[in-house]
């Protein structure tokens, strides 16, 4: 390969080189001009592309933001809307309480882990195709649940609903990363994440109201109507934000496919050459000459080098190998800073799901509230979530800008986590307050206040950790967010399964004192990533560079 080719194309067959090119601030896929790179360090997220989503007008960006937020809102609503109607479902479908629990548990675990598949597909075929297919699956699942005559069919279709709804919970954050730079990403993440939080906020209230006015099936017919609107928006108003040049996953799949094609071509040529050399070797042996050699398949494979074109990356035909979520997931989990923050965000989500679930039981058993009254009380937690998401996102961007100015314009993703420190002081005391006002059955106003504060500070921190996961995984934002979804879904599933036994055994006071302790551990994990994350990332990058060389 000539020096010109080396300066304009990505060479080699190893993922480490792509990582290194992204970190070193130079794209080997498409070299920008001097004017484009002057005065700033270019990384893979800023490779020059056609119709750059970051250069779209405000109107198009806002339309895209509201569409994906609307999709996430419907997904969040689907998680919680059936809770007030569980008694009706149990009676109408002749189901046991255990079967009703499975309609919830299956939804949570699938919604949490299926984004790993969606993210892998979106990094090959783009975001829009995933959104459309997922919305269709959700529409089918919601329609069948609304008309189901058996609990077994309802459980299966709730699982299909979870598959469809899971895309919006992870791919949407990657869509925002496609459109917005790091300095405004926290604010937009805060606005976006407020949408699925409307589920815990209004889901119980809306679900209880519809169930009382009509029956439990009305809850799912509402989901059908909302999802149909979202599907139309994706089909006719949404423009794909995915750009292949900015995706490490796509480029690695492309390299692998090109290498396979080159190996096939060279081996075919080698077979012809070897046949011609066979007679020559025989004659040399007869003359007593021992120096005869040929190129074998291992030699060919060891010396094959492929290059990607400087512009216009070719399409890759989708295969099961290309959408294997494990290799990109392992890349995320290799980084200790990622693991620390993923565990912390999972604990926040587990707490948030548990408090809604157990509070509904407390309100029914100790305060003797009906479904509508329960929904109104839980609305305080949802409002705290929404306000915490919006405020936390803005505070995250503000702190990042302040630290960048203080550091002469230089920044690292860990600076984003500084914004969580203020919330850290207030979250455990708020949870402890909730624990004991519930345990002592004090006036409902105190319960509402503690629910609001717990929701506000928990989601404030979660918004910052979500933005950090995107910032710290350049070129893999979709996989990083899907990994976050997997962690939180798994912890949410476990928390939901053990919440009721623990609540019955030690009461709300003991349960949420325990959660306050777990949330202190969560805060320590965030501080660990804040102070050690940059060093951890550098060490791993040096190791990857050494392997690549």
């Amino acid at each position: 390969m000539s020096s010109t080719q080396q300066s304009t194309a990505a060479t080699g067959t190893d993922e480490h080189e792509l990582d290194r090119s992204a970190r070193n601030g130079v794209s080997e896929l498409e070299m920008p001009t001097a004017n484009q790179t002057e005065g700033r360090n270019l990384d893979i997220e800023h490779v020059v592309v056609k119709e750059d989503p970051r250069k779209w007008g405000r109107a198009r960006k806002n339309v895209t933001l509201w569409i994906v937020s609307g999709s996430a809102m419907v997904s969040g609503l689907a998680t919680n809307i059936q809770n007030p109607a569980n008694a009706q479902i149990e009676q109408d479908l002749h189901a046991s309480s255990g079967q009703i629990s499975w309609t919830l548990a299956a939804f949570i675990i699938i919604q949490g882990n299926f984004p790993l598949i969606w993210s892998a597909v979106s990094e090959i075929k783009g975001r829009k195709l995933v959104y459309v297919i997922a919305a269709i699956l959700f529409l089918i699942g919601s329609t069948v649940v609304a008309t189901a005559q058996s609990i077994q069919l309802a459980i299966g279709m709730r699982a299909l609903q979870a598959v469809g709804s899971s895309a919006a919970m992870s791919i949407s954050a990657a869509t925002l990363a496609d459109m917005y730079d790091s300095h405004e990403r926290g604010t937009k993440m805060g606005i976006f994440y407020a949408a699925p939080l409307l589920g815990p906020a209004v889901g119980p209230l809306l679900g209880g109201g519809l169930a009382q006015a009509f029956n439990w099936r009305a809850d799912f017919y509402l989901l059908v109507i909302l999802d149909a609107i979202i599907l139309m928006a994706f089909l006719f108003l949404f423009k794909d934000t995915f750009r292949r040049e900015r995706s490490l996953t796509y480029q690695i799949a492309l390299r692998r496919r090109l290498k396979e094609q080159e190996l096939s071509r060279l081996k075919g040529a080698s077979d012809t050459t070897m046949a011609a050399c066979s007679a020559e070797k025989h004659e040399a042996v007869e003359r007593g000459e021992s120096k005869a050699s040929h190129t074998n398949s291992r030699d060919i494979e060891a010396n094959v080098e492929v290059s990607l074109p400087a512009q216009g990356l070719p399409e890759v035909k989708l295969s099961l190998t290309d959408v294997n979520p494990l290799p990109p997931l392992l890349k995320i989990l290799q980084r200790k800073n990622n693991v620390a923050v993923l565990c912390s965000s999972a604990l926040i989500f587990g707490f948030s799901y548990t408090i809604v679930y157990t509070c509904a039981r407390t309100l029914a058993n100790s305060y003797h509230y009906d479904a509508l009254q329960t929904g109104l009380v839980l609305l305080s937690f949802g409002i705290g979530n929404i306000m915490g998401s919006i405020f936390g996102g803005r505070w995250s961007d503000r702190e990042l800008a302040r630290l960048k100015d203080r550091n002469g314009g230089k920044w690292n993703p860990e600076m984003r986590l500084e914004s969580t420190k203020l919330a850290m002081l207030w979250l455990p005391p708020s949870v402890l307050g909730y624990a004991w006002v519930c345990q002592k059955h004090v006036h409902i106003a105190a319960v509402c206040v503690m629910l609001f504060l717990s929701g506000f500070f928990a989601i404030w921190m979660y918004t910052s950790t979500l933005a950090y996961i995107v910032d710290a995984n350049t070129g893999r934002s979709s996989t990083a967010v899907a990994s976050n979804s997997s962690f939180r879904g798994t912890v949410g599933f476990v928390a939901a399964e053990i919440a009721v036994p623990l609540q019955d055994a030690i009461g709300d006071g003991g349960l949420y004192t325990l959660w306050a302790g777990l949330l202190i551990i969560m805060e320590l994990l965030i501080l660990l990533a804040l102070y050690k994350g940059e060093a951890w990332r550098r060490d791993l990058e040096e190791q990857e560079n050494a392997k690549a060389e």
Side-chain angles (χ1 to χ4, degrees), residues 321-335:
T321 302
D322 296 324
V323 299
N324 181 4
L326 292 180
L329 173 62
L330 292 176
K331 279 292 179 182
I332 299 297
L333 298 183
Q334 281 178 355
R335 299 176 182 265

Side-chain angles (χ1 to χ4, degrees), residues 40 162 223 239 315 485:
R40 67 187 179 102
L223 295 178
K239 187 165 185 178
E315 286 280 357
S485 179

Side-chain angles (χ1 to χ4, degrees), residues 82-96:
Q82 84 165 59
N83 285 337
N86 282 337
Q88 287 188 15
I89 299 173
E90 187 173 341
Q91 182 178 6
D92 189 28
L93 299 183
H94 309 291
S96 67

Side-chain angles (χ1 to χ4, degrees), residues 71 74-75 114-115 117-119 121-122 126-142 157 159-172 223 227-228 230-231 234-235:
S71 179
V74 175
S75 297
F114 208 85
I117 303 295
W118 288 133
S119 68
V121 176
S122 76
R127 319 290 189 215
K128 184 170 184 174
L129 179 65
V130 170
Y131 283 129
V132 170
I133 293 175
I136 291 173
L137 293 177
F138 185 86
L139 189 66
I140 294 171
S142 300
M157 290 300 101
L160 185 62
Q161 268 191 317
V163 170
S165 69
S166 64
M169 305 301 285
S170 59
I171 307 301
S172 296
L223 295 178
D227 185 63
I230 294 297
L231 177 59
F234 277 126
L235 285 172

